[in-house]
Amino acid sequence: MALLVLGAVHLAAIGAGFLAPYAPTEQNRSLPYAPPTRLRFVDAEGRLHLRPFVYRLVEREGAGGVYDEDTSRPWPVRLFVRGASTDRVHLFGVEEPARVFLLGADGFGRDQLSRLLHGAQISLFAGLMAATLSLGMGWLLGTLAGFYGRWIDAALMRGAELFLALPWLYLLFAVRAVLPLSVSPGQAFLLLVLVIGLVDWARPARLFRGVVLSARERNYVLAARGFGASDLYLIRRHIAPQTIGLLLTQAALLVPQYILAEVTLSFLGLGVGEPVPSWGNMLAALQRYHVLSSYWWMWIPGLALVPVFLAYFALSEALRARAGPASP
Amino acid sequence: MARLARRAAHGLLLLVGVSLLSFVLVELAPGDYFAEMRLDPRISEATVRGLRARYGLDRPLPERYLSWLRSLARGEMGYSFAYGGPVGPLLWPRARNTLLLTATATALAWLLAVPLGAWWAARRAGPAAHGLAGVTALLLALPDLVLALGLLLLAVRTGWFPTGGMVSLGHEQLSWGARVRDVASHLALPVTALVLGLLPVLVRHVRASVAEALAAPFVRAARAHGIPERRVLLRHALPAAANPLISLFGLSVAGLLSMSLVVEVVMSWPGLGPLLLEAILARDFHLVLGPVLVSTLLLLGGNLLADLLLYAADPRIRADAR
């Protein structure tokens, strides 16, 4: 179940270019904070249409931010249309100059649904990639420390203690502080993944060390060593399989945490910047009180995090239950 | 006591390590506060060089670290270029505010979590327990950022609470009692955000460890003696479950401080969080180091407190230490 939800969400993010009706950066300066467009079946004269349609929104004269529907002409929603500005086929859309904003528009009149889907590419995959990085680092260093022991172990674990003595968000901020502030969105994305992934190696490293330490002393490992197996063979063949359970449960725990880290940093203007959407910089619009209280659809990226996190938590619980009651 | 001293010394050593690590990290950063001046054609290269020399930015790294340590010992903690003064006086009121916020939130969260968790463990099944499971799962999945924004919305919409800051205008003129009330009303929302963020984790752990204690043979023996269930729960199971919970207290401090950083910024609570963010945006590196070090200090202090509590609560540890 959890896997299904996560799979669907990530597929939607990958297919954002097709699923979203507009490009995430396409602005409509005449439609700031347009409310979600209503899909209709019955028009103003009471006729029933089989194909859903929308009415064009027009800003009311003299009252900025208040919109009326122009009921003189229905604009049918069509499937598989070619976008005017993107020059690619979208799942659905309406003809120009009408707009279909299923989740409303932001302050620049950009379609919130398109931004949500494209932002998911940034936010969700930043979490996945950062988790891959930190688990990779943690696994490597934890295995080294656990397998070789002695001074390697002592040095690595003292280092880990240093990193753990800092509250992790403070550490993240400190590392982010020393990196350049104004970078292009693409660089910012890579920078964030690197920073989030590399800063948090200590916690997984400690856990992997524990598993490797106990695996190393198993009788079959000692036997293999007695037969002259090389270190590399021992780690690959006997130690690594023991760590897979921990790897999976840790991944399910860390990914949502890193997604939130990206969202937080972008929210505060330290992450991916405009015009590229990320769920964090979309939420940043809420820092203005009138947006916070007047336009509920600006909350959607934050609310979208909840089902994603619930699915990851359910996944981690399921993995833990499968691994047995003894695992951490 | 020897154990405690050892822990404190260990903490101090860690603090020195963290200071070295963060100082080197920050000093290796490309660019400094004066870097942007170079872009300004009105300021000559010689002026920038003069400024850098005046603040000692041209000296080698170990020398700068030592001079920074000396200023740390004087309580100045380096020099803030953006504020044009030592960091210390900027930092201490902020640290006090963060401590006030996090300490209040921790106390409240534990006061709520222990009865809730114990009750949940005793109940095990039933609609109320299922409801609690659902609510904690939902709270667990609700990001602290969204939680803080939601509470802010509540404040903006209803006007029941102030929307930010720590004191109202004219706070200085109020009587002592009114001042306390003023701070408390500003404290309410950030504390609620932190408590709601902390509570699901705590309640789940309390439930797990109390349930484990309730399943132990000595509890069955107590029940067989005809001791009432309430007394079994409160006098027998809870003390036995305390040990892992005190360790959890030490562990939860780190998460609390991170959460507090976000909440402080969103609700403009004048703590370490907004100061850190401001320092990062101004590329004022000594001012970045201040909050980072103080947060480490708070974390280590929390761990030490947990150690002390464990020492007081668990006779086995006392026996070990002797």
Side-chain angles (χ1 to χ4, degrees):
Chain A
M1 177 63 198
L3 272 179
L4 268 178
V5 172
L6 287 178
V9 170
H10 284 91
L11 269 182
I14 292 171
F18 169 65
L19 290 175
Y22 300 107
T25 50
E26 188 181 325
Q27 303 187 356
N28 299 281
R29 288 299 176 97
S30 61
L31 295 167
Y33 299 116
T37 316
R38 283 171 65 178
L39 288 180
R40 294 172 182 279
F41 291 93
V42 182
D43 65 18
E45 281 103 57
R47 274 187 311 235
L48 183 76
H49 294 239
L50 282 181
R51 178 185 287 277
F53 66 94
V54 301
Y55 283 130
R56 240 186 107 186
L57 285 182
V58 236
E59 198 163 15
R60 194 178 291 168
E61 290 283 330
V66 183
Y67 294 95
D68 291 316
E69 288 184 321
D70 173 12
T71 53
S72 60
R73 182 183 161 186
W75 299 86
V77 175
R78 303 189 187 283
L79 294 181
F80 304 108
V81 292
R82 185 160 285 277
S85 63
T86 52
D87 197 37
R88 62 183 295 175
V89 175
H90 298 278
L91 178 64
F92 67 96
V94 294
E95 269 174 55
E96 303 271 322
R99 292 278 183 276
V100 53
F101 296 147
L102 288 184
L103 296 178
D106 69 2
F108 295 102
R110 295 177 295 198
D111 179 30
Q112 191 76 350
L113 175 66
S114 304
R115 288 179 72 71
L116 184 75
L117 287 170
H118 281 98
Q121 281 181 349
I122 303 273
S123 297
L124 299 184
F125 287 95
L128 272 180
M129 286 165 70
T132 313
L133 203 60
S134 93
L135 283 175
M137 276 270 284
W139 185 86
L140 187 70
L141 295 177
T143 306
L144 281 180
F147 191 79
Y148 290 105
R150 283 195 252 264
W151 66 268
I152 297 183
D153 187 25
L156 282 174
M157 286 305 115
R158 287 299 89 74
E161 264 177 38
L162 273 187
F163 274 80
L164 288 173
L166 271 160
W168 104 278
L169 210 55
Y170 276 88
L171 179 61
L172 197 60
F173 273 51
V175 174
R176 183 65 189 84
V178 303
L179 298 166
L181 280 177
S182 42
V183 287
S184 77
Q187 287 171 322
F189 175 74
L190 286 181
L191 206 68
L192 276 189
V193 167
L194 280 177
V195 169
I196 297 173
L198 295 185
V199 152
D200 199 34
W201 61 275
R203 271 182 305 171
R206 275 194 164 188
L207 293 172
F208 284 120
R209 171 181 173 268
V211 171
V212 171
L213 218 51
S214 80
R216 190 181 62 166
E217 298 304 323
R218 301 267 164 87
N219 282 334
Y220 61 85
V221 178
L222 294 178
R225 199 194 281 275
F227 285 127
S230 72
D231 287 352
L232 200 63
Y233 177 87
L234 280 177
I235 291 177
R236 190 165 53 86
R237 197 61 202 262
H238 294 304
I239 309 281
Q242 297 282 330
T243 59
I244 285 176
L246 181 63
L247 199 67
L248 289 177
T249 42
Q250 277 297 299
L253 274 179
L254 289 181
V255 172
Q257 208 179 338
Y258 294 165
I259 291 176
L260 188 57
E262 186 280 330
V263 167
T264 306
L265 282 171
S266 295
F267 175 82
L268 298 174
L270 300 174
V272 178
E274 293 280 350
V276 172
S278 110
W279 290 5
N281 70 27
M282 290 171 74
L283 281 174
L286 294 177
Q287 280 167 332
R288 288 193 294 274
Y289 284 164
H290 77 279
V291 181
L292 184 80
S293 60
S294 317
Y295 309 116
W296 61 263
W297 55 91
M298 298 304 287
W299 285 80
I300 285 169
L303 300 181
L305 284 171
V306 175
V308 174
F309 283 8
L310 273 177
Y312 270 114
F313 290 144
L315 185 65
S316 83
E317 300 255 302
L319 283 171
R320 207 177 310 180
R322 251 182 81 173
S327 61
Chain B
M1 274 301 106
R3 175 190 146 88
L4 202 66
R6 213 166 47 238
R7 295 290 306 211
H10 185 229
L12 206 63
L13 220 61
L14 267 180
L15 201 60
V16 172
V18 167
S19 84
L20 186 62
L21 181 79
S22 47
F23 187 82
V24 169
L25 184 79
V26 160
E27 292 289 317
L28 286 181
D32 54 43
Y33 187 71
F34 300 112
E36 277 180 23
M37 283 190 186
R38 290 226 175 85
L39 300 176
D40 192 337
R42 285 170 303 178
I43 302 172
S44 74
E45 183 66 21
T47 316
V48 174
R49 229 177 301 135
L51 276 171
R52 285 177 55 94
R54 198 171 132 213
Y55 293 111
L57 288 179
D58 53 349
R59 280 180 288 159
L61 191 66
E63 205 177 315
R64 269 183 292 164
Y65 179 61
L66 280 182
S67 86
W68 181 67
L69 274 189
R70 272 199 296 278
S71 113
L72 201 65
R74 282 196 303 270
E76 288 178 4
M77 309 196 68
Y79 186 84
S80 160
F81 299 112
Y83 282 91
V87 171
L90 295 168
L91 202 58
W92 298 127
R94 300 298 196 112
R96 196 199 56 205
N97 295 345
T98 290
L99 190 63
L100 175 67
L101 177 62
T102 47
T104 316
T106 313
L108 261 179
W110 279 99
L111 277 180
L112 286 172
V114 171
L116 266 179
W119 176 82
W120 189 5
R123 197 50 68 95
R124 235 167 299 156
H130 280 300
L132 204 54
V135 169
T136 54
L138 197 67
L139 276 178
L140 211 55
L142 203 61
D144 37 15
L145 183 66
V146 177
L147 202 64
L149 283 170
L151 288 170
L152 197 60
L153 175 68
L154 185 78
V156 172
R157 274 282 175 85
T158 63
W160 293 340
F161 299 99
T163 51
M166 185 169 161
V167 293
S168 315
L169 282 173
H171 177 77
E172 298 301 319
Q173 278 91 48
L174 295 173
S175 68
W176 194 82
R179 267 196 227 181
V180 171
R181 265 202 303 283
D182 185 36
V183 171
S185 77
H186 282 84
L187 198 58
L189 279 187
V191 163
T192 311
L194 287 183
V195 167
L196 286 181
L198 210 53
L199 204 55
V201 184
L202 297 188
V203 168
R204 290 182 157 225
H205 275 96
V206 170
R207 185 193 77 109
S209 61
V210 171
E212 197 184 322
L214 278 177
F218 71 86
V219 167
R220 203 185 306 164
R223 282 192 187 128
H225 278 291
I227 298 173
E229 192 61 36
R230 253 176 82 94
R231 200 181 150 80
V232 169
L233 184 64
L234 296 181
R235 288 299 297 272
H236 295 258
L238 257 188
N243 202 330
L245 293 182
I246 293 171
S247 309
L248 175 68
F249 166 76
L251 290 176
S252 70
V253 173
L256 180 71
L257 284 170
S258 293
M259 215 184 325
S260 169
L261 183 62
V262 178
V263 169
E264 281 170 17
V265 171
V266 172
M267 305 212 163
S268 42
W269 178 261
L272 293 171
L275 186 70
L276 179 60
L277 187 64
E278 205 180 299
I280 291 174
L281 293 174
R283 305 196 75 63
D284 193 355
F285 291 139
H286 279 180
L287 198 55
V288 171
L289 286 178
V292 169
L293 274 191
V294 172
S295 72
T296 311
L297 196 65
L298 288 178
L299 176 55
L300 292 175
N303 287 346
L304 207 60
L305 188 64
D307 261 12
L308 261 178
L309 282 175
L310 210 55
Y311 187 82
D314 195 336
R316 284 169 297 185
I317 291 175
R318 278 203 295 274
D320 267 359
R322 268 198 203 112

